[in-house]
Amino acid sequence: MEEQGAEDVPVVYLHEVKRQYTQGEKQLIILDGAKLALWPGQSVALVAPSGSGKSTLLHIAGLLESPDEGEVYVGGVPTSQLTDIERTQMRRTDIGFVYQSHRLLPEFTALENVMLPQMIRGLKRSETVKRASEILAYLGLGERIKHRPAELSGGEQQRVAIARAVANAPRALLADEPTGNLDPATADHVFNALMQLVKATRVAMLIATHNMELAGRMDRRVSIVAGKVVELD
């Protein structure tokens, strides 16, 4: 791992990760000794063809899936021996997720959708209202906090989803094609909101994307080749 000055421990580090699936009588090797370090305040684009293992890599980095071999470190802590409860707790506090589909709860307002992760974590309602309001305002949604998802545009819905993902101040933000369902102008707006958050909060961000123009504006670009993570350009 390269020297990063004071911040010499990656937020997330995948070490020699292997993952394979059984399909009929065949073994499909998806990841084969993959290594990847995500550093504080750094944005990383994961660009690779469909079926190459992008989602698997994101799921393993986010502790949603366990590797067959290798180790995933979060803040320098190895996670392979953690209990399910400990892994769930780490996901709630250290990792935020943004998906291609916003996955907002339709019966709740934008504010309530962003409050929920904090309430699950056990914060007081007054604290969750304050923080959710501040994040939504920061993302340009201060006038929309009482609106339900159906009353918001696609770009607004995705910005609420981003606000929800960072509500618990995670150290890592993982996004799977977060602008894939949006038109170019809206995608650019959402992407700028993500980059703004990275700079403001020092969160480490890994985005799987097919959008090479957006990928080109990030700090690093990586791909998956023969089951390994390789740096681009």
Side-chain angles (χ1 to χ4, degrees):
M1 293 181 283
E2 65 188 68
E3 194 64 42
Q4 293 287 310
E7 297 176 327
D8 58 356
V9 177
V11 174
V12 176
Y13 178 51
L14 276 61
H15 179 68
E16 297 288 352
V17 164
K18 295 189 177 183
R19 190 72 173 103
Q20 61 184 29
Y21 301 104
T22 301
Q23 190 175 67
E25 296 181 358
K26 291 176 62 178
Q27 290 290 103
L28 295 178
I29 298 174
I30 307 299
L31 300 174
D32 189 14
K35 293 182 181 180
L36 177 65
L38 303 177
W39 300 95
Q42 189 178 70
S43 58
V44 182
L46 174 59
V47 289
S50 297
S52 61
K54 293 196 303 294
S55 293
T56 297
L57 186 75
L58 281 171
H59 289 167
I60 288 174
L63 307 183
L64 291 170
E65 194 173 327
S66 297
D68 297 315
E69 295 180 33
E71 185 61 89
V72 179
Y73 297 87
V74 177
V77 177
T79 61
S80 59
Q81 300 304 311
L82 296 180
T83 65
D84 286 345
I85 291 173
E86 289 170 331
R87 287 167 68 87
T88 298
Q89 184 61 31
M90 190 171 273
R91 279 198 304 273
R92 284 179 182 165
T93 57
D94 292 338
I95 300 166
F97 295 91
V98 183
Y99 300 94
Q100 184 169 346
S101 172
H102 56 75
R103 300 189 182 184
L104 299 175
L105 297 173
E107 65 272 27
F108 294 113
T109 64
L111 182 69
E112 290 165 341
N113 267 282
V114 180
M115 288 168 58
L116 279 171
Q118 301 171 78
M119 295 179 76
I120 290 170
R121 189 177 171 183
L123 297 181
K124 293 178 182 176
R125 182 179 174 84
S126 57
E127 290 178 51
T128 69
V129 170
K130 182 175 183 292
R131 178 160 173 79
S133 300
E134 287 173 352
I135 298 170
L136 288 166
Y138 183 78
L139 291 174
L141 295 168
E143 304 297 316
R144 311 289 280 166
I145 63 174
K146 296 294 177 67
H147 290 68
R148 289 186 170 83
E151 301 168 311
L152 301 172
S153 69
E156 288 172 337
Q157 290 171 352
Q158 198 64 319
R159 278 184 283 155
V160 174
I162 291 167
R164 179 182 58 188
V166 300
N168 282 330
R171 292 193 281 182
L173 183 61
L174 308 178
D176 196 356
E177 297 286 355
T179 62
N181 286 338
L182 305 174
D183 65 80
T186 306
D188 188 64
H189 198 59
V190 169
F191 176 79
N192 287 337
L194 280 167
M195 295 301 288
Q196 209 176 337
L197 280 170
V198 170
K199 300 305 177 192
T201 64
R202 302 291 296 158
V203 68
M205 181 170 69
L206 177 64
I207 295 184
T209 181
H210 284 105
N211 189 323
M212 294 305 295
E213 192 274 326
L214 295 185
R217 291 156 59 187
M218 297 174 69
D219 297 320
R220 287 166 59 202
R221 284 149 295 285
V222 301
S223 189
I224 300 173
V225 179
K228 291 180 169 55
V229 177
V230 297
E231 298 280 338
L232 301 177
D233 59 52

